[in-house]
Amino acid sequence: MSDQLIQPRTLSGFRDFLPEAMIPREQLMETARRVYRSFGFVPIDTPTLEYAEILCGKGSEETDRQMYRFMHGKRDVAMRFDLTVPLARFVAQHQNELGMPFKRYHIGTVWRGERPQAGRYREFAQCDFDTIGTTSIASDIETVLVINDLMRGIGFEKFTIRLNNRKVLNGILQKADLAEQSVLVLRALDKLGKIGADKVKEEILKTTHATSQQADCILQLADISGTTAEVIEQLGTLCDGNELAEQGRNEISEVVNAAATVGLNDDNLAIDVSIARGLDYYTGTIVETFLDDLPSFGSVCSGGRYDNLAQLYTKQKLPGIGASLGLDRLLAAMQQLEMIPPTRTTADVLIIQFEPGDIEKYLAIAADLRTAGICTEVFPESVIRDGKFKSKKLNQQLKYANRRGFPAVIIAGSDELEANIVKIKWMEDAKETEVPLKSGSAEIVEWLAQRLN
Amino acid sequence: MSDQLIQPRTLSGFRDFLPEAMIPREQLMETARRVYRSFGFVPIDTPTLEYAEILCGKGSEETDRQMYRFMHGKRDVAMRFDLTVPLARFVAQHQNELGMPFKRYHIGTVWRGERPQAGRYREFAQCDFDTIGTTSIASDIETVLVINDLMRGIGFEKFTIRLNNRKVLNGILQKADLAEQSVLVLRALDKLGKIGADKVKEEILKTTHATSQQADCILQLADISGTTAEVIEQLGTLCDGNELAEQGRNEISEVVNAAATVGLNDDNLAIDVSIARGLDYYTGTIVETFLDDLPSFGSVCSGGRYDNLAQLYTKQKLPGIGASLGLDRLLAAMQQLEMIPPTRTTADVLIIQFEPGDIEKYLAIAADLRTAGICTEVFPESVIRDGKFKSKKLNQQLKYANRRGFPAVIIAGSDELEANIVKIKWMEDAKETEVPLKSGSAEIVEWLAQRLN
């Protein structure tokens, strides 16, 4: 071997996930899968690499610039930068096999070569669900219910799903005769929460040909607030006389009413008529999700309804609705809120190993516990230290258990095993209990099952 | 929109996973995670992209040629082609934080630009587990037990874990005075199963300086067969007098005996003294796993013990043992053995939707079922066909249920809902049962829970 070591390091913007980060990350993905499946969404996966023309097709200049794109032999290829473009390609390619409506979830890694900064990575996971091939309000309602179950499943109670409908915005733009300048108006309106109504009006007057009256018409939206019932009432007057706006209002109302029947009420649902989520992609229902305890954190689950998913790849019009759970953002939030226990083990119990000769007895206990659903690690008796192998003493093994966060440790030397007992040490209070080891490990299982969740 | 459509297609060697392929794939990964965790292995993840020098470091010419490698700005980067090289870099970089021994699993995608052919893809998943920082035989034993639990967890009963130890091979090469030519001898010996002992001897004589006597000494290995007890006995004589070979034999014996104590016996465990698994990486225990019903399919879970995982990145010697579950191979095998039900849904029940006006009642039933752990889909009432939206008739919704493989369908029009009953159709025999809808959906839950697993 050459003496020249290669420095172990990762690329800027890329991360290793150590166990203490990966354990809650896997749990979060499992919760998402469980919730998606409970509504009948099915999993798919698509390739990491696609023909660059497929991924560029829909991209803005920004996504084009951020794409990891290279030549592989004669092929111009790129790594996916989101899961929506691949979904569009996928549905266009397989629509006959899939059948419509098609409800899918997709948890996958995406890559964007943007400048790395705090909380922004070049490689991150997305966690999307979509219902394609239907304009039914049933799927708008379901989208909100899925988000509710996701948030509760993850462990949040204090969150708010903010609901809006692009038809309300577009209808009111029509009413104010500003539909042609919607991009500029919405760009200004998006800043409402940050800069206030006066500044928004100033911007509208400066960037568009709107009169003060037209701007005021739009800014009526800014005054709308209150409970869902109150907002719907206020929207009544505002939307009256414009078919599109009325339709949007009715859709909001239907979603709110249906959500209430399954217990999703104003505690966790609000109407926010100012959110637009980008300028032209969404066409109906829009949702964002905020954490009440971290109001400035931004949305952790967002999405909405679109008219035509795959127009670049097929003439078949494919409307749908979907949302994306911000996995890495959520984890960061949970860390801040101290919702993640600092565990570095997946096992409930560590069996201390004294005599290598007793390994078969330890393994038998471990097998019994696993059969009973208790994850069990047997400590390997030697460890590397200062380049040499040394056998580990009891307190070193206990330190290992402690450092990794095992709830319980089973301690049994040859004497104990001979006498058919083990000691179980509950790490939280360091109390030791003697438990008999009779036929199998039934008593140990019983003792542990009572204390572990 | 331009009229020019982009043809939806994937790159050669890359795959879309449609739901019927992705559902069992996710299940397999979940089984692997469950088994790994039950032994206290912890999850990690590493970046898809690494500095090319990191990934090339250990590579053979073959892996170098197959790597997806490109310049990103000024950086020479590549996509990982396995999970072992990233593990070596990871452990070298974080060894102090991780602590030793360190037991990790890693399920991740890897990329190799090899020529695509039947069953060979350029993008595929690996599913590895390793125990690092210990030479304890306890981890050799555990590796075999994990494979046993993996295979059973996935649903296999008829499989054979083939066990060998490189120390036996190397010791016998020493005895025959052929240690210096081990590469050529092992290359010939690897063909034993295919070409037989005579041809292997021929090759040894042709490619090495071995005498006929030396070759015969090696070929004694070919005559060793029988139960684990018989093989261990035969190895006794063969290994006697060479310390390394004796050590290897004792290690095999310890693994076999310990496995027997937890019920892993000759039904699923065999010693195969001819397997070497490559020429220089492994140094002790070696394992391969074969399906008894598909003997020519090759190994679906392989691995072994190594002396020094991360020598390219650190001076710290890191011995360990690990194995890799061949996820895609296993799925292909399960398909061949018809072990995968042809389901395209994750839900147990589809609720038919007659009247959009009754959506709230359907949603309430669905919410009750989900709370009881029954995955439930509510059919969205309209569907795209010939470019237009049409409401779906009952038999069309039943066709949807049938095509996707829902076990049960709940049918309730306005009349039924008014009378507080629903009909449940069990799809297998098409029988319909009336079930009362009283307070909540307790009766529906009870009826379904009895019939679903």
Side-chain angles (χ1 to χ4, degrees):
Chain A
M1 229 39 250
S2 121
D3 290 308
Q4 194 84 44
L5 292 177
I6 298 170
Q7 189 204 340
R9 59 191 177 134
T10 48
L11 289 159
S12 168
F14 288 78
R15 286 169 290 179
D16 281 330
F17 289 95
L18 273 71
E20 54 266 45
M22 197 61 195
I23 291 169
R25 202 162 195 263
E26 275 199 345
Q27 271 169 357
L28 205 55
M29 294 189 196
E30 268 161 44
T31 301
R33 277 192 287 266
R34 180 173 53 73
V35 171
Y36 293 151
R37 289 176 192 164
S38 79
F39 283 84
F41 288 82
V42 293
I44 68 161
D45 202 3
T46 64
T48 292
L49 286 178
E50 301 246 12
Y51 283 102
E53 69 160 5
I54 299 265
L55 298 187
C56 288
K58 200 175 187 172
S60 61
E61 253 177 65
E62 198 190 353
T63 52
D64 279 4
R65 205 181 53 240
Q66 292 178 350
M67 230 178 344
Y68 280 87
R69 182 174 177 175
F70 58 96
M71 296 302 292
H72 184 250
K74 277 176 271 179
R75 293 191 186 87
D76 183 4
V77 301
M79 296 165 82
R80 65 186 177 203
F81 63 88
D82 73 3
L83 301 179
T84 304
V85 176
L87 172 65
R89 194 268 307 149
F90 178 93
V91 175
Q93 191 169 334
H94 305 291
Q95 50 188 315
N96 291 332
E97 288 158 87
L98 296 174
M100 294 292 147
F102 175 60
K103 293 165 63 170
R104 82 87 175 83
Y105 66 88
H106 190 179
I107 302 177
T109 308
V110 301
W111 294 266
R112 293 185 194 171
E114 52 191 335
R115 181 188 291 273
Q117 45 181 299
R120 288 255 176 195
Y121 296 95
R122 290 177 161 172
E123 174 177 66
F124 55 97
Q126 290 198 333
C127 185
D128 290 10
F129 67 102
D130 286 83
T131 303
I132 297 154
T134 173
T135 54
S136 163
I137 190 78
S139 25
D140 300 60
I141 297 166
E142 191 170 74
T143 301
V144 171
L145 297 184
V146 170
I147 296 175
N148 183 47
D149 279 10
L150 277 172
M151 296 303 289
R152 288 182 189 282
I154 292 163
F156 288 101
E157 284 177 18
K158 292 158 82 181
F159 61 90
T160 304
I161 302 171
R162 290 197 201 157
L163 180 71
N164 193 18
N165 195 301
R166 280 299 290 263
K167 291 175 186 167
V168 170
L169 287 173
N170 292 340
I172 288 177
L173 284 165
Q174 283 178 2
K175 264 183 96 169
D177 209 12
L178 285 170
E180 309 249 307
Q181 291 175 290
S182 65
V183 170
L184 297 168
V185 176
L186 291 178
R187 191 172 289 157
L189 201 61
D190 237 10
K191 299 176 188 161
L192 190 61
K194 282 185 201 143
I195 61 176
D198 289 347
K199 297 259 181 196
V200 168
K201 183 173 175 181
E202 228 171 80
E203 182 171 328
I204 291 174
L205 292 177
K206 209 163 83 183
T207 58
T208 73
H209 303 298
T211 62
S212 177
Q213 221 174 355
Q214 282 177 307
D216 286 339
C217 177
I218 298 297
L219 279 164
Q220 290 179 68
L221 282 168
D223 294 328
I224 292 183
S225 67
T227 64
T228 50
E230 285 163 3
V231 171
I232 289 168
E233 207 194 313
Q234 293 166 65
L235 277 177
T237 334
L238 192 67
C239 298
D240 271 351
N242 179 282
E243 205 184 329
L244 192 62
E246 284 172 17
Q247 202 185 328
R249 181 198 59 200
N250 292 343
E251 287 180 10
I252 290 177
S253 175
E254 276 195 75
V255 172
V256 169
N257 292 339
T261 63
V262 293
L264 172 55
N265 53 37
D266 281 18
D267 290 341
N268 298 107
L269 186 64
I271 304 169
D272 181 343
V273 292
S274 72
I275 55 172
R277 291 206 63 72
L279 299 171
D280 53 3
Y281 185 59
Y282 293 114
T283 52
T285 293
I286 297 174
V287 284
E288 294 188 339
T289 312
F290 291 83
L291 303 173
D292 297 353
D293 290 329
L294 293 174
S296 63
F297 204 82
S299 175
V300 293
C301 189
S302 317
R305 176 169 279 289
Y306 40 84
D307 270 348
N308 204 347
L309 176 70
Q311 57 194 331
L312 293 177
Y313 316 106
T314 176
K315 285 180 183 166
Q316 175 74 67
K317 199 175 175 191
L318 291 166
I321 180 164
S324 183
L325 187 71
L327 215 103
D328 289 294
R329 296 178 57 68
L330 256 179
L331 275 171
M334 291 169 76
Q335 208 92 50
Q336 272 193 45
L337 295 171
E338 292 177 5
M339 290 167 68
I340 298 174
T343 183
R344 296 167 58 189
T345 177
T346 51
D348 306 305
V349 184
L350 178 73
I351 300 182
I352 299 289
Q353 198 180 157
F354 289 101
E355 292 292 326
D358 285 326
I359 180 71
E360 294 182 8
K361 288 177 186 163
Y362 298 130
L363 290 174
I365 297 172
D368 287 343
L369 299 191
R370 281 180 205 122
T371 303
I374 298 171
C375 296
T376 306
E377 176 169 343
V378 179
F379 191 82
E381 103 281 63
S382 61
V383 74
I384 199 165
R385 207 166 58 249
D386 305 329
K388 284 178 198 160
F389 284 90
K390 297 185 181 174
S391 81
K392 277 264 188 180
K393 289 177 186 158
L394 173 59
N395 63 4
Q396 292 174 309
Q397 295 192 43
L398 288 176
K399 205 174 142 195
Y400 172 96
N402 211 29
R403 200 175 158 196
R404 280 170 164 77
F406 284 88
V409 168
I410 292 179
I411 302 170
S414 298
D415 291 353
E416 278 96 355
L417 289 172
E418 201 115 314
N420 279 326
I421 53 159
V422 302
K423 279 188 276 187
I424 307 183
K425 182 167 188 156
W426 192 250
M427 295 302 277
E428 204 175 7
D429 57 13
K431 266 192 194 152
E432 288 186 11
T433 311
E434 280 197 359
V435 178
L437 182 64
K438 291 184 188 163
S439 49
S441 315
E443 284 84 1
I444 303 177
V445 168
E446 199 190 336
W447 195 95
L448 286 169
Q450 278 175 13
R451 277 150 191 94
L452 300 164
N453 294 336
Chain B
M1 229 38 255
S2 123
D3 290 307
Q4 193 83 44
L5 291 177
I6 299 169
Q7 191 203 340
R9 59 193 178 132
T10 48
L11 289 159
S12 168
F14 288 77
R15 287 169 289 178
D16 281 330
F17 289 95
L18 272 71
E20 52 266 47
M22 196 62 195
I23 291 169
R25 202 162 195 263
E26 275 199 344
Q27 270 169 358
L28 205 56
M29 293 190 196
E30 267 161 46
T31 301
R33 277 192 287 265
R34 178 173 54 72
V35 171
Y36 293 151
R37 289 176 192 165
S38 79
F39 283 85
F41 287 83
V42 292
I44 68 161
D45 202 3
T46 65
T48 292
L49 285 178
E50 301 245 12
Y51 283 102
E53 69 160 5
I54 298 265
L55 298 186
C56 288
K58 200 176 187 172
S60 61
E61 253 178 64
E62 200 189 351
T63 52
D64 279 4
R65 205 179 53 241
Q66 292 177 350
M67 230 177 342
Y68 281 86
R69 182 177 178 174
F70 58 97
M71 295 301 292
H72 184 249
K74 277 177 272 180
R75 293 192 186 87
D76 183 4
V77 301
M79 295 166 82
R80 65 186 178 203
F81 63 89
D82 74 2
L83 301 179
T84 303
V85 176
L87 173 65
R89 194 268 307 147
F90 178 93
V91 175
Q93 190 169 335
H94 306 291
Q95 50 187 315
N96 291 331
E97 289 158 87
L98 296 174
M100 293 293 146
F102 175 59
K103 293 165 63 171
R104 84 86 175 83
Y105 65 90
H106 191 179
I107 302 176
T109 309
V110 302
W111 294 266
R112 293 185 193 169
E114 52 191 337
R115 181 187 290 274
Q117 44 181 299
R120 289 256 176 194
Y121 296 95
R122 291 177 160 174
E123 174 177 66
F124 55 97
Q126 289 198 334
C127 186
D128 290 11
F129 68 101
D130 285 83
T131 302
I132 297 154
T134 173
T135 55
S136 163
I137 191 77
S139 27
D140 300 60
I141 298 166
E142 191 171 73
T143 301
V144 172
L145 298 185
V146 169
I147 295 175
N148 183 47
D149 278 11
L150 277 173
M151 297 303 288
R152 288 182 190 282
I154 293 164
F156 288 101
E157 284 176 17
K158 292 159 82 182
F159 62 90
T160 305
I161 302 171
R162 290 196 200 156
L163 180 70
N164 194 17
N165 195 302
R166 279 299 291 262
K167 291 174 187 168
V168 170
L169 286 174
N170 292 340
I172 288 177
L173 283 166
Q174 283 178 2
K175 263 183 97 170
D177 209 12
L178 285 170
E180 311 250 306
Q181 292 175 288
S182 64
V183 169
L184 297 168
V185 176
L186 291 178
R187 192 172 287 157
L189 201 61
D190 238 11
K191 301 176 187 160
L192 191 61
K194 282 185 200 144
I195 62 177
D198 289 347
K199 296 262 181 196
V200 169
K201 182 174 176 180
E202 226 172 82
E203 181 172 328
I204 291 174
L205 292 178
K206 208 164 81 184
T207 58
T208 72
H209 303 298
T211 62
S212 177
Q213 220 172 357
Q214 283 178 306
D216 286 340
C217 177
I218 298 296
L219 279 164
Q220 290 180 69
L221 282 169
D223 293 329
I224 292 183
S225 66
T227 64
T228 51
E230 287 164 1
V231 172
I232 289 169
E233 207 194 313
Q234 293 165 66
L235 277 178
T237 334
L238 192 68
C239 298
D240 271 350
N242 179 282
E243 205 183 329
L244 192 62
E246 284 173 15
Q247 202 186 330
R249 180 197 60 198
N250 292 343
E251 287 180 10
I252 290 177
S253 176
E254 276 196 74
V255 171
V256 169
N257 291 339
T261 63
V262 293
L264 171 55
N265 54 38
D266 281 19
D267 290 342
N268 297 107
L269 186 64
I271 304 169
D272 181 343
V273 292
S274 72
I275 53 171
R277 291 206 62 71
L279 300 170
D280 53 4
Y281 185 61
Y282 293 115
T283 52
T285 294
I286 298 173
V287 285
E288 294 189 338
T289 312
F290 292 82
L291 302 173
D292 297 353
D293 291 329
L294 293 174
S296 63
F297 203 82
S299 176
V300 294
C301 189
S302 317
R305 176 169 279 289
Y306 41 84
D307 271 348
N308 204 347
L309 175 71
Q311 56 194 330
L312 293 176
Y313 316 106
T314 175
K315 285 180 182 165
Q316 174 74 66
K317 199 175 176 191
L318 291 166
I321 181 164
S324 182
L325 187 71
L327 214 104
D328 290 294
R329 296 179 57 69
L330 257 179
L331 274 171
M334 292 168 76
Q335 208 92 50
Q336 271 193 47
L337 295 171
E338 292 177 6
M339 290 167 69
I340 297 174
T343 182
R344 295 167 60 190
T345 176
T346 52
D348 307 305
V349 185
L350 178 72
I351 300 183
I352 300 289
Q353 198 181 158
F354 289 101
E355 292 292 326
D358 284 327
I359 180 73
E360 294 182 7
K361 288 178 185 160
Y362 298 131
L363 290 173
I365 297 172
D368 288 342
L369 298 190
R370 282 182 204 120
T371 303
I374 299 170
C375 296
T376 306
E377 176 168 344
V378 179
F379 191 82
E381 101 282 63
S382 61
V383 74
I384 198 164
R385 208 165 59 247
D386 304 328
K388 285 179 199 159
F389 284 89
K390 299 184 182 175
S391 80
K392 276 263 186 181
K393 289 177 188 158
L394 173 60
N395 63 4
Q396 291 174 310
Q397 295 192 42
L398 288 175
K399 205 173 142 194
Y400 172 96
N402 211 27
R403 199 174 160 199
R404 280 168 163 78
F406 284 87
V409 168
I410 293 179
I411 303 171
S414 298
D415 292 351
E416 279 96 356
L417 289 173
E418 201 115 314
N420 278 326
I421 53 158
V422 303
K423 279 189 274 185
I424 307 183
K425 182 167 188 157
W426 192 250
M427 295 302 278
E428 203 175 7
D429 57 14
K431 267 194 195 150
E432 287 184 11
T433 311
E434 280 197 358
V435 178
L437 182 64
K438 289 185 190 163
S439 48
S441 316
E443 285 83 2
I444 304 178
V445 168
E446 199 191 335
W447 194 95
L448 286 169
Q450 278 175 15
R451 277 148 191 95
L452 299 164
N453 296 337

